[in-house]
Amino acid sequence: MILLNVPRTRRRRLGVAAAAGGLLAALLTAAPAAAIPDPGDAPPASKEMSKSAQAEAREAIAQGEIPAQDEVVHSANIRHVAHVPKDALPGTNSDLAFQGRYAFAGNYDGFTVYDISNPKSPKTVSQVLCPGSQNDISVSGDLLFLSTDSSRSDDSCNSTTQPVTEKSSWEGMKVFDISDKRNPRYVAAVETACGSHTHTLVPEGKNVYLYVSSYSPNAAYPDCQPPHDGISVIKVPRKAPHKAAVVGFPVLFPGEGPDGGGNPGGPTNPGVSKTTGCHDITVLPSKDLAAGACMGDGILFSIKNPERPKVIDRVQDNVNFAFWHSATFNQKADKIVFTDELGGGGAATCNAEIGPNRGANGIYDVVGKGDRSKLVFRSYYKIPRHQADTENCVAHNGSLIPVKGKDIMVQAWYQGGVSVWDFTNSSKPKEIAYFERGPLSTDQLVTGGSWSAYYYNGYIYSNDIAKGFDVLKIDDRRTDPARGVHVRELNVQTQPDYFD
């Protein structure tokens, strides 16, 4: 293990070999994260790299410009306190949720429950086999929710993949009773149009609402017809989850024609995804607000009526954003960080050839009040360390670190690792800590790295696609005040009001 006090600065030419191979041109037409139809639940196939890219990666390791293969490195203010390797679920690790002394980790093959009462020694409590990518996960009280975005033969945990063109195929939301963490019990399923790539909890008293994000309709798909220009809303009675049902499909992008009124994508906007739904939504219930990352559009909307969300403002970035992937409010709700998943999460975009703006976060100020609020772009943020062309790397899932009066975020970057950064000044974001591993391979682009990195009650938890579950501890005067802030439950896409 190597501790580094400052970011490496010699890695500025990584990716030059890719320029000759036309990587940037390929990324401009690359597809976003797999949605419908899904090729199955196996991890993405590795891609053999050119000899020049292989040589460049090995030379960068030899010169100390990047970590050695699978080597752990981090800034001096972060400690790697625990690691739990993958066990019974070999699929792709995905999102995380938290409740009390438990962490819940999604995996394309199901989910794992960890006891994190001692963060330095997490224990596996149970593992549930229930295949269905991407098994985006959240918890509320005694209920756990899983998103299924691959076409299945039925809604059971014994289902197999089946063509999306068959009417009998199933995709949507699964509901589990987790009152007994050692024995989660499958209690309900709700089919949704185009499946459920991700979902967001909107808790409201006796009910839980789920905003289901999905996309990529096709006239040949019986249950995923265009225009798919909104989200499915599911209502789940807490005491009777078996009665969960879709209660609406609010249209967020009204417009004429078969595709609705979202971003048309190419050829009008080359390199930008056409908006046919949303990828992810984050809600801030204390402010009755939500932010949607919707393929070619970013939106701000009101959720005063959770069954009928209302769009307040909408923005596009047709120069540097390829695929609006996720959103995070700051605590005051006067800023939103949108992420761009350039290359769909399976490409090397953290190199010199791609540059600092593409595949980055976009930081927007929320200017004005109520329904007159506007999103105003301020700056981009991308990790300052170049990665090898054998490392998939792009902005991914993160959360606030609750420091009053400051805007600090921890974020996953796949094989770019975990970055802690400060955006208190919207126009001048800066990294203050990081953790990463060296490339999984110097010969092939193998998909791996941190899918989700979240701060929960004093520690940072990361779900690594290929390696497993990591626990980090940050010791820094800028983040130390967060140690005194604890929450009972955390679903990052349902942001708590830490200081209310």
Side-chain angles (χ1 to χ4, degrees), residues 32-73:
I36 299 172
D38 193 284
D41 301 310
S46 57
K47 176 184 176 182
E48 192 75 20
M49 302 302 293
S50 67
K51 295 298 182 182
S52 58
Q54 293 178 17
E56 184 180 60
R58 295 188 186 111
E59 177 65 16
I61 290 172
Q63 295 296 322
E65 296 174 0
I66 64 173
Q69 189 170 337
D70 212 27
E71 179 184 18
V72 171
V73 299

Side-chain angles (χ1 to χ4, degrees), residues 4 6-8 73-75 78 385 418-419 431 433-436:
L4 300 174
V6 295
R8 292 178 295 278
V73 299
H74 53 83
S75 54
I78 275 188
R385 296 168 309 287
V418 175
S419 176
E431 183 173 78
Y434 71 92
F435 166 91
E436 68 168 300

